Amino acid sequence: MNPLIRLREAALNTLLGTREHEVLNDPPPPPVAVDGVTLAAELKRAVNRFKAMAMDEEGRQVAYQRLRNNPDYLAYRAELTPLLQGFDPASLPDRQTRLAFWINLYNALVIDAVITFGVTTSVAEQWAGLSFFRAAAYRIGGQRCSLDDIEHGILRANRGHPFIPGPQFADNDPRLTWIIDPPDYRIHFALNCASRSCPPIGVYSAEQIEQQLDLALRNFVAADVTIDPDRAEIHLSRIFDWYRDDFGGPNGIIQLLRQALPDDERRAWLMQARRGRLVYRPYDWTLNII
């Protein structure tokens, strides 16, 4: 498997123009050690500041130009992200802290990459987004870690990209010690990829991660899911299609909706219906810019 994954990665890097040495936290780290809990708390504060300064009330839209020259954003880039280079994520003390850390880091890296790369219309302009999600990366614990690595390698327990064969990491990859296993399908409603169809950006904490992820799931399906009873169709986000295996397939998706939808006519129909056809909406990759 390792030679095949190395060959796959080399081919994708060549095709997409990804350079393995390029990361967004290039400045050398300061000569100070930082523990995982402290770094996770600093990251949470940074995302909170981003929300206060440059996001709408729901966390769906971002004023990227407002952030570009903001002192807090510049401090995040110059002072906080270099600390990641010498940080070992395996030192995070528990599952809850790891979940909150990686979700917050993913959402912060997306914002940083949109600003740094000068994205103005869509992160999916090139190669349906593959280029952006592989190019956007920080060096963490001496390892390059892209958005794809965070989502498909770490948060999804190395299940791999849904459109690229094989796991994200080879079986000798040092980043395997960072993965969160078993994965939590609710992360799909917490990760924001700077597009209009994405879930809103939240700020996650270890102490409240279970309640926050449950709320993210419930809010997303309440706002997203519609039902056409005459056609026996359930209309929902393409996210459920891309990651259907994470949700347990079509039957698992329907069971999830029965549990997560509010107590309204949609849930009542699902509880009574013996079957319904899942209809996935086109994904709007337009940049979520204010």
Side-chain angles (χ1 to χ4, degrees), residues 44 94-101 104 204-212:
K44 178 186 170 187
D94 51 48
R95 178 183 172 88
Q96 292 77 16
T97 305
R98 293 195 293 273
L99 273 170
F101 173 83
N104 288 335
Y204 292 83
S205 64
E207 298 78 15
Q208 297 178 314
I209 190 70
E210 288 298 321
Q211 299 93 321
Q212 288 178 312

Side-chain angles (χ1 to χ4, degrees), residues 26-46:
D26 260 340
V32 294
V34 59
D35 69 271
V37 173
T38 300
L39 186 57
E42 287 296 326
L43 178 62
K44 178 186 170 187
R45 279 191 283 271

Side-chain angles (χ1 to χ4, degrees), residues 98-118:
R98 293 195 293 273
L99 273 170
F101 173 83
W102 287 111
I103 292 170
N104 288 335
L105 185 64
Y106 182 98
N107 290 334
L109 175 52
V110 167
I111 293 170
D112 194 7
V114 167
I115 295 172
T116 302
F117 296 159

Side-chain angles (χ1 to χ4, degrees), residues 126-146:
Q126 297 181 332
W127 296 100
L130 286 177
S131 179
F132 177 84
F133 293 102
R134 291 174 65 87
Y138 290 141
R139 194 170 312 285
I140 304 173
Q143 303 294 319
R144 187 180 188 276
C145 200
S146 69

Side-chain angles (χ1 to χ4, degrees), residues 59-60 188 191-201 220 239 283-285 288:
R60 289 187 173 274
H188 294 299
L191 302 180
N192 182 283
C193 59
S195 303
R196 293 199 180 276
S197 285
C198 290
I201 300 169
F220 186 85
I239 290 172
Y283 207 76
D284 186 354
W285 287 100
N288 63 337

